[in-house]
């Protein structure tokens, strides 16, 4: 106990200041301009992303420059803590400092700069919507110039375009998607040290430290670990696994690719293929979108492996790369990046030019759940992303894309889409209503509870679809790995 008191006396006092920003729902404003409005994230999604970006160095540099403080941007980024109150769409910002006034000033400046960032992002989206309207207006006017009898362009049409653009410009200039909800006040009392508390803890130091270590990890670590936590947060069944060693690999050695999936993951993908069919027993999904909350969660690995497993089971399968911002399948599968999906949607390439065929290996073929068996010479058809377009969201939300999906559904037994992450961009939101099923990839030990909640909110705005979760980056031997990661199953050596 004496040691605890002495330790407390020798420690510098630390003060904590707390501010908060509120993410505002601008959907009511968007209703004024109808279908021409750009798609914006709801406050829950925006709050989760704003919280994740709070410790980014660019934001810390803005705070440093605004305060003109000698504190480094890295030190500011390390000092900030943030969390999300989803019911109120509040992002709570906490700053600790040895000086109470500094803690309050930094917390308030973080709130101000974070609000500005959200507003700037929304203004950029409105600006893109304005540009799209102007391009549509010019296109229709060019049609009028070619044929003065063009019934699609008249004074009324021009007036409608002008009104829509004026409304969008008004929203861009005056709409506020974020505001400072709570300003930090200068704290009167330090949050540490606390001599009385430390003295009491010192009386039972051994047991207390062990308990504190366990509870502190659970309280402060927002990352999801294990299938039980992931299932509880998302509310969807776990239908598959992917080990940490399997991340970035393909289902087999294809087109010279030297990094096939490890054998346990190959079996895991077969299990995923079977479980996918049971998401809807009466109508097994034929078109499936594979997505995630954020990048680097293994969605492309899972999409490629699932498509390969479906092809090896004898199904006519096509793999469609719909992540037009950060494509990766061409390099993994040894294919050409372009021409691809974006070139077809832009009308610069034909279907024959974008379809690429991958011969599938004849070994290791396994019958599917309905008893269908693949044969040597089976192929997997793949359409890579193609050249990166300037407006991928509008391209994926086009009638041409919907017509393509309908044609592929008629031509193939299985259509697998590798889509963009749901939280950073809106590209995938236009595709999900066209799907029969959804596969969500959640990286164990990386995806946070806030991201999982934002993901659930995003899916809640869409029509209900059969949805399953694949837990990725699983480490063998842990609770979530199931027995096929912990044990080997195969022929045993004969005894002499």
């Amino acid at each position: 106990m004496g040691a605890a008191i002495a330790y407390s006396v020798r420690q510098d006092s630390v003060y904590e200041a707390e501010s908060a920003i509120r993410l505002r729902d601008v959907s009511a404003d968007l209703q004024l301009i109808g279908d021409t409005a750009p798609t914006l994230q709801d406050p829950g999604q925006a709050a989760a992303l704003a919280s994740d970006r709070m410790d980014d160095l660019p934001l810390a540099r803005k705070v440093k420059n605004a305060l003109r403080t000698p504190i480094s941007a890295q030190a500011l980024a390390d000092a900030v803590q943030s969390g999300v109150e989803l019911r109120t769409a509040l992002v709570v910002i906490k700053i600790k400092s040895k000086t109470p006034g500094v803690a309050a000033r930094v917390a308030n400046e973080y709130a101000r700069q974070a609000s500005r960032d959200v507003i700037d992002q929304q203004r950029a989206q409105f600006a893109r919507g304005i540009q799209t309207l102007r391009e549509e207006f010019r296109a229709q006017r060019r049609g009028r110039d070619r044929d003065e009898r063009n019934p699609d362009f008249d004074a009324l049409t021009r007036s409608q375009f002008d009104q829509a653009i004026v409304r969008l410009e008004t929203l861009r200039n005056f709409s506020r998607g974020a505001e400072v909800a709570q300003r930090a006040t200068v704290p009167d009392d330090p949050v540490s040290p606390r001599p009385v508390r430390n003295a009491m803890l010192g009386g039972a130091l051994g047991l207390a430290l062990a308990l504190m270590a366990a509870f502190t990890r659970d309280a402060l670590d927002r990352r999801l670990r294990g299938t039980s936590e992931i299932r509880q947060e998302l509310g969807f069944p776990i239908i598959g696994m992917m080990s940490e060693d399997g991340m970035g690999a393909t289902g087999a050695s294809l087109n010279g690719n030297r990094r096939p999936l490890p054998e346990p993951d190959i079996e895991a993908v077969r299990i995923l293929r079977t479980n996918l069919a049971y998401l809807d027993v009466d109508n097994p999904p034929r078109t499936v979108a594979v997505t995630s909350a954020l990048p680097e969660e293994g969605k492309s690995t899972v999409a490629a492996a699932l498509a390969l497993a479906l092809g090896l089971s004898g199904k006519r399968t096509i793999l469609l790369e719909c992540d037009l911002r950060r494509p990766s399948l061409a390099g993994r599968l040894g294919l050409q990046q372009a021409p691809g999906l974006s070139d077809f949607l832009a009308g610069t390439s034909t279907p024959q030019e974008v379809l690429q065929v991958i011969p599938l290996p004849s070994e290791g073929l396994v019958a599917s759940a309905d008893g269908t068996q693949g044969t040597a010479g089976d192929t997997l058809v793949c359409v890579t992303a193609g050249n990166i377009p300037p407006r991928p969201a509008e391209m994926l939300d086009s009638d041409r894309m919907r017509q393509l999906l309908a044609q592929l559904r008629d031509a193939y037994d299985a259509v697998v889409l590798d889509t963009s992450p749901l939280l950073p961009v809106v590209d995938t939101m236009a595709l999900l209503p066209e799907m029969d099923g959804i596969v969500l990839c959640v990286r164990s030990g990386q995806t946070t509870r806030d991201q999982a909640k934002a993901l659930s909110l995003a899916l809640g705005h869409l029509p209900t679809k059969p949805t399953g979760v694949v837990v990725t980056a699983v480490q063998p031997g842990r609770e979530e790995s199931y027995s096929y990661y912990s044990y080997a199953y195969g022929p045993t050596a004969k005894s002499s």
Side-chain angles (χ1 to χ4, degrees), residues 339-340 343-344 347-355 400:
D343 305 288
F344 171 76
T348 59
S349 297
T350 64
Q352 291 74 19
E353 292 173 330
V354 301
L355 294 176
R400 189 173 176 87

Side-chain angles (χ1 to χ4, degrees), residues 277-320:
Y278 288 112
L279 282 179
D280 189 341
V281 178
D282 296 328
N283 298 289
R286 293 178 56 194
T287 57
V288 179
V290 182
T291 187
S292 59
L294 294 174
E296 306 298 332
E297 297 200 55
K299 63 176 183 60
S300 297
T301 300
V302 172
L306 176 60
L308 176 65
L310 290 168
L312 289 175
S313 69
K315 294 182 181 294
R316 294 171 300 169
T317 304
I318 184 169
L319 174 60
L320 197 62

